[in-house]
Amino acid sequence: MKTNFDFMMPSVNFFGPGVIEKIGQRAKMLNMQKVLIVTDSFLKQMENGPVKQTEASLRAAGVSYAIFDQVEPNPKIRNVKAGAALYKAENCDSIITVGGGSAHDCGKGIGIVLTNGEDVTKLAGIETLDKPLPPLMAVNTTAGTASEITRHAVLTNEETHLKFVVVSWRNVPLVSFNDPLLMLDVPTKLTAATGMDALCHCVESYVSENSNPITDAQAIQGMKLIGQYLRRAVANGHDLEARTNMAYASLLAGMAFNNADLGYVHAMAHQLGGQYDAPHGVCCAVLMPTVERWNMIASPERFADIAVFLGENVNGLSKMAAAERGIAALERISADVGIPANIKSIGANPADFKVMAENALKDGNAFSNPRKGSKADIIS
Ligand code: NAD
């Protein structure tokens, strides 16, 4: 067992059905006077949806707010700039993000440019932020990215189609909310994609070079819960037990990768997401079995463990055969929830692979992958 490691946790997380009601009171405790709510137009309009509930709680607590509802999936620099302009025009002093990873990352991006400099592309990398962001809270509505508790802000440069990450502990929201009642109406395809993203966080954390005993504990429990509940959440979105367990698994997965980091699946998924504007969870899910089968020789024991966490019987099998069962289990869950089998389905064009492979190897997630590859490996 690794005996020396650090472990960082989110400041405060409220978890469980109904916790969204506490947001007004928390805004008050943080002395937020005028909040910029960062979300998208669909969630803003949703009847009794997460934005309406956030507004109601803020109003009840006497906290003023303005709404920026222009977040796009795979949030773009133009979204960050527009949000920051509205923040200034409305004299806001704080931010609440409402949505999935895109809303949280856009809100982090807005906070970054307000206090650390206007060109967010220059801040890509690890621990590049000198100054704290404005006070930030996050209301999470998908069980997948865990951006509501992470130090990552994933943004896309719409001119270069490059997805980049600003990784800093200053990005972690002060308070986050995971209320599974807000997730009941997530559409089937998004439930599948985000659930597979969370599974990928667990798998990549578990086999990462930077894993430690705490991240292992979180990733293991996350995998067990996702193996048990993702199919149920996809089959019936109103299954509150399945939604609650998926929300919890996603949170565990986030704490794990916030510390253990990820690997080539995420490094490559960012290229597909940036180049083709494809849903992040689908990019991860499509790549995961192929990348992990290639990774298998680096750590067959860990992949054999994964087979067991996902409910496979590996008794009597050799280590490599058991590890292969782990990969097969990943393929099966992906197929069962309706994820396409290859990257053609998201428009991938081999003419783009050379540049995307070069960029994948530079992505911060690549460095903790357990097996080291070349550009040719990534392309193949
Ligand atoms: P998303 O935030 O892009 O949301 C996708 C769609 O789902 C949106 O159109 C939104 O309106 C809708 N939606 C969200 N919640 C809903 C709800 N409760 N009911 C109905 N519809 C709902 O999706 P995502 O997968 O959560 O986020 C993906 C983004 O997060 C990507 O850009 C990815 O790179 C990033 N990401 C960030 C981190 C991090 O730590 N910062 C980690 C992984 C991924």
Side-chain angles (χ1 to χ4, degrees):
M1 182 183 101
K2 198 181 266 182
T3 53
N4 290 56
F5 54 86
D6 11 291
F7 187 82
M8 289 83 170
M9 286 191 279
S11 318
V12 180
N13 177 262
F14 287 93
F15 185 91
V19 291
I20 182 67
E21 286 174 15
K22 295 179 197 276
I23 192 160
Q25 172 208 336
R26 280 285 147 171
K28 200 103 192 144
M29 283 171 70
L30 287 171
N31 201 24
M32 293 177 161
Q33 308 280 329
K34 176 96 184 258
V35 170
L36 184 72
I37 296 178
V38 175
T39 189
D40 63 45
S41 55
F42 173 77
L43 290 173
K44 182 186 165 199
Q45 281 159 19
M46 207 171 163
E47 204 56 44
N48 198 32
V51 177
K52 298 267 189 273
Q53 292 193 44
T54 301
E55 288 182 76
S57 183
L58 290 176
R59 273 198 304 272
V63 178
S64 308
Y65 58 87
I67 303 184
F68 174 70
D69 67 354
Q70 298 303 309
V71 176
E72 297 171 72
N74 297 315
K76 317 290 183 285
I77 293 175
R78 61 176 171 250
N79 307 145
V80 169
K81 284 186 176 159
L86 187 65
Y87 181 101
K88 287 182 195 159
E90 291 282 346
N91 286 318
C92 295
D93 60 9
S94 49
I95 298 171
I96 298 180
T97 57
V98 183
S102 296
H104 307 317
D105 290 351
C106 185
K108 291 174 187 176
I110 293 169
I112 290 168
V113 302
L114 286 166
T115 55
N116 281 270
E118 287 199 356
D119 187 355
V120 67
T121 58
K122 288 199 182 132
L123 297 164
I126 297 175
E127 296 307 340
T128 51
L129 305 182
D130 294 331
K131 303 198 185 77
L133 275 52
L136 173 65
M137 296 204 285
V139 177
N140 190 38
T141 67
T142 63
T145 73
S147 176
E148 76 281 3
I149 59 147
T150 69
R151 59 193 175 121
H152 306 76
V154 188
L155 299 167
T156 296
N157 183 336
E158 58 272 26
E159 282 168 17
T160 58
H161 298 283
L162 200 63
K163 210 166 180 177
F164 63 98
V165 192
V166 182
V167 185
S168 168
W169 288 103
R170 297 194 187 279
N171 281 332
V172 179
L174 298 174
V175 184
S176 54
F177 297 82
N178 277 299
D179 185 337
L181 290 176
L182 303 179
M183 301 173 185
L184 297 179
D185 292 316
V186 174
T188 308
K189 276 190 173 168
L190 184 64
T191 303
T194 50
M196 289 303 294
D197 186 20
L199 179 57
C200 188
H201 293 156
C202 293
V203 170
E204 290 211 286
S205 298
Y206 191 65
V207 301
S208 163
E209 281 192 335
N210 296 339
S211 65
N212 69 47
I214 301 181
T215 62
D216 283 353
Q218 292 163 328
I220 290 168
Q221 183 63 4
M223 284 185 261
K224 288 181 180 172
L225 291 174
I226 294 168
Q228 216 177 327
Y229 288 104
L230 177 58
R231 292 174 177 90
R232 261 175 70 173
V234 169
N236 175 10
H238 281 247
D239 179 339
L240 182 60
E241 187 189 339
R243 288 290 193 194
T244 304
N245 278 282
M246 282 306 300
Y248 178 52
S250 161
L251 182 67
L252 288 173
M255 285 194 269
F257 86 81
N258 222 9
N259 289 276
D261 304 318
L262 293 163
Y264 282 172
V265 178
H266 271 77
M268 293 165 71
H270 285 164
Q271 312 317 315
L272 293 175
Q275 189 68 30
Y276 308 115
D277 215 0
H280 173 72
V282 174
C283 297
C284 289
V286 171
L287 292 166
M288 179 160 54
T290 307
V291 174
E292 300 309 353
R293 186 168 277 117
W294 181 81
N295 272 338
M296 216 163 70
I297 58 163
S299 185
E301 314 69 25
R302 291 239 149 190
F303 286 101
D305 292 346
I306 289 171
V308 175
F309 304 145
L310 292 175
E312 299 291 309
N313 181 356
V314 298
N315 285 343
L317 295 181
S318 70
K319 214 162 264 177
M320 284 304 275
E324 175 51 41
R325 282 268 169 96
I327 310 295
L330 295 175
E331 279 169 335
R332 209 159 34 247
I333 189 168
S334 193
D336 286 351
V337 299
I339 300 288
N342 63 58
I343 61 172
K344 275 186 204 150
S345 62
I346 41 184
N349 176 357
D352 302 326
F353 288 0
K354 188 170 159 284
V355 174
M356 289 202 294
E358 280 163 9
N359 288 330
L361 286 170
K362 286 186 227 150
D363 186 288
N365 291 296
F367 305 119
S368 42
N369 196 70
R371 182 175 174 183
K372 307 302 168 196
S374 63
K375 191 166 74 181
D377 289 321
I378 302 289
I379 291 172
S380 104

